[in-house]
Amino acid sequence: MNLSKNDQHDRPLFYIVAGEVSGDIIGAGVMKSLKKLTSGKARFAGVGGVHMSSEGLESLFPIDELSVLGLFELIPKIPKFLKRIRETVHDIFLKKPCAVITIDSKGFNFRIARQIALKQNNETKKIKLIHMVEPTVWAWRPGRAKKIAKLFDHLLAMFPFEPAYFIPHGLKTSFVGHPALEEKEGDADTFKKSFSIPKDCLVLSLLPGSRTGEIDRLLPVFEETISKLKLHFPKLCILIPTVPALEDRVRNIISEWVAENVILVRNQDKQDAFAASDFAIAASGTATLELALARVPTIVAYKVNFLTGWIAYFLVNHQSIVLANRILENPLFPLLVQKNCNADKIVEVLISQKNRKNISKEMELASSMIRERLDIDGNTSSNLAALLAFSTDKRLYRLL
């Protein structure tokens, strides 16, 4: 559809860039809220996946091209990576949005922000740069906060302790809460009936991550873990929640497993699967927070390239890797990384967790505390993020 200049002015354009599945989900929520805020007048461009596409985005290129796990996994992809950065920056200046909203994927998005900052020195109208899901400076390399402050006009923080790291460096930072709070409570009974899961089964969810590298490293560990767990829990049912972009890859891997009662769970059934789960083993990331909110006792397991892991060992605050633990300020959810991320250790820890008498009460209390600390007067993260993005250009207020 070709729009006149007046029509375009009445329909603000937001350029949103998400480089992985979790960012795609967040971006879709913000898009939905922006459409509601502008009575459907907001337009969108950028990079996203199936969730943002469902809200009307035509992605500049597939986001799975940006799914890179670590430093040494990135090296072979550098030429294409740099090409996509150039293409994105060019597209942004071509389309002249009222705001650019980048979500997570710091390796890609921060380079975009730097190039925009360099190119618009001579521009008469400054493109506002907003970032969501900031790097975990509270977990490693806090000095990055000062550099990040030079890149963006506004930072939208997911956690209440994050603004304190950026505001002293002059970066406007607003706590908007976490989108995980927007998820509805799952229905365990309906899920178990749908998949004919017996009541006396131990239900275990496995979440190997949202990147191909994570999946390739963790699923073999999880397969061996299942075999060993069967010796202790013969009636074991395995749930593997996945997303459309990775479903085929996960399905191909687990099709070669000899394990029985393995169920691949669609993304729309994820909360029901969590509600039905007795325990979970998950890669470090947003999923661990979602599981904590769903009151599922979870073991966090993670493994990366040896050299990446060796570097991270000296730079990362391990007590801050698990999001729920950082929010609770309590290592309630066990963390097993690198050499400890193996079947024997996972089985040992899971049995120990199962034998804890008060674990259900601990999970209930943890979920309540996390909700209390992430909630902002009942407002959703998507709505608050949309309102702050909208407020970057005062001329947009006439659309309200």
Side-chain angles (χ1 to χ4, degrees):
M1 177 173 64
N2 294 321
L3 297 170
S4 67
K5 288 185 178 180
N6 288 336
D7 289 333
Q8 290 179 10
H9 188 72
D10 286 339
R11 298 193 61 203
L13 175 67
F14 295 89
Y15 203 100
I16 306 178
V17 183
E20 51 190 272
V21 174
S22 58
D24 180 40
I25 294 171
I26 292 171
V30 174
M31 289 173 67
K32 188 174 182 178
S33 293
L34 279 168
K35 285 191 287 186
K36 183 178 179 181
L37 186 64
T38 61
S39 300
K41 292 182 180 180
R43 295 178 294 137
F44 304 101
V47 180
V50 293
H51 296 90
M52 289 168 63
S53 294
S54 70
E55 294 296 332
L57 178 79
E58 290 186 16
S59 184
L60 186 63
F61 56 84
I63 67 168
D64 56 12
E65 293 185 15
L66 304 180
S67 180
V68 181
L69 185 57
L71 172 64
F72 294 94
E73 290 84 356
L74 170 64
I75 291 173
K77 298 183 179 182
I78 285 178
K80 191 168 188 177
F81 193 74
L82 295 176
K83 178 184 176 184
R84 289 308 194 190
I85 290 172
R86 291 193 297 271
E87 289 175 350
T88 305
V89 172
H90 174 77
D91 197 48
I92 288 170
F93 279 97
L94 183 68
K95 291 186 166 68
K96 293 181 170 55
C98 62
V100 174
I101 305 171
T102 54
I103 305 171
D104 207 352
S105 303
K106 61 183 181 298
F108 187 76
N109 283 327
F110 285 15
R111 285 171 174 82
I112 288 175
R114 286 192 189 96
Q115 290 202 17
I116 290 175
L118 288 172
K119 289 190 173 213
Q120 67 181 5
N121 285 337
N122 298 321
E123 292 284 323
T124 55
K125 181 184 176 183
K126 187 177 186 296
I127 298 173
K128 299 294 183 180
L129 297 178
I130 303 167
H131 188 72
M132 298 183 69
V133 192
E134 60 271 31
T136 53
V137 296
W138 35 270
W140 73 298
R141 292 174 58 199
R144 291 178 296 164
K146 185 176 181 179
K147 295 180 180 179
I148 294 167
K150 297 177 181 178
L151 297 177
F152 298 99
D153 299 292
H154 202 162
L155 200 60
L156 306 185
M158 300 286 171
F159 303 108
F161 50 79
E162 291 178 313
Y165 287 89
F166 298 94
I167 290 176
H169 299 294
L171 178 56
K172 184 178 180 181
T173 306
S174 302
F175 170 49
V176 297
H178 201 284
L181 295 184
E182 299 173 33
E183 297 282 0
K184 294 181 180 178
E185 185 83 14
D187 188 335
D189 291 337
T190 299
F191 184 88
K192 288 184 176 182
K193 287 178 182 178
S194 298
F195 291 96
S196 301
I197 299 174
K199 291 183 179 181
D200 59 348
C201 268
L202 181 72
V203 182
L204 175 67
S205 276
L206 302 178
L207 293 96
S210 59
R211 299 172 180 174
T212 55
E214 293 172 329
I215 289 169
D216 292 344
R217 283 196 176 89
L218 290 178
L219 278 181
V221 177
F222 290 173
E223 180 187 12
E224 186 181 354
T225 301
I226 294 170
S227 298
K228 292 180 181 293
L229 279 173
K230 286 271 189 180
L231 300 176
H232 301 274
F233 310 105
K235 293 184 178 180
L236 181 66
C237 180
I238 303 299
L239 310 179
I240 305 182
T242 189
V243 293
L246 299 170
E247 184 174 342
D248 289 341
R249 190 181 193 94
V250 175
R251 190 185 304 278
N252 289 337
I253 294 174
I254 67 174
S255 66
E256 299 179 3
W257 290 8
V258 295
E260 299 177 351
N261 299 325
V262 178
I263 301 170
L264 197 62
V265 179
R266 297 173 301 174
N267 191 60
Q268 56 265 40
D269 298 323
K270 179 178 65 176
Q271 291 301 316
D272 292 338
F274 289 171
S277 298
D278 296 302
F279 291 91
I281 306 169
S284 174
T286 304
T288 61
L289 179 60
E290 294 174 333
L291 287 161
L293 288 169
R295 304 180 296 279
V296 183
T298 301
I299 298 169
V300 182
Y302 210 65
K303 183 179 285 190
V304 295
N305 174 287
F306 172 77
L307 290 175
T308 301
W310 183 79
I311 293 172
Y313 176 83
F314 295 99
L315 298 176
V316 176
N317 176 359
H318 285 225
Q319 295 179 349
S320 296
I321 292 177
V322 182
L323 292 174
N325 288 349
R326 179 63 176 81
I327 296 166
L328 294 169
E329 298 179 342
N330 176 22
L332 183 61
F333 298 89
L335 172 66
L336 302 175
V337 296
Q338 294 304 87
K339 66 179 182 180
N340 285 325
C341 179
N342 64 74
D344 288 329
K345 190 66 177 178
I346 293 172
V347 171
E348 176 190 331
V349 174
L350 193 147
I351 291 174
S352 175
Q353 292 287 93
K354 191 175 187 306
N355 290 336
R356 286 168 60 181
K357 294 181 180 180
N358 298 320
I359 194 164
S360 294
K361 290 182 179 179
E362 288 178 349
M363 293 299 115
E364 186 75 39
L365 179 60
S367 177
S368 296
M369 289 180 66
I370 291 171
R371 288 184 184 280
E372 181 181 330
R373 292 177 183 181
L374 297 185
D375 181 64
I376 304 181
D377 299 326
N379 291 316
T380 70
S381 175
S382 296
N383 285 343
L384 289 173
L387 185 61
L388 289 168
F390 191 82
S391 68
T392 57
D393 191 335
K394 302 301 182 186
R395 292 173 299 175
L396 296 178
Y397 279 106
R398 67 189 183 84
L399 299 178
L400 290 175

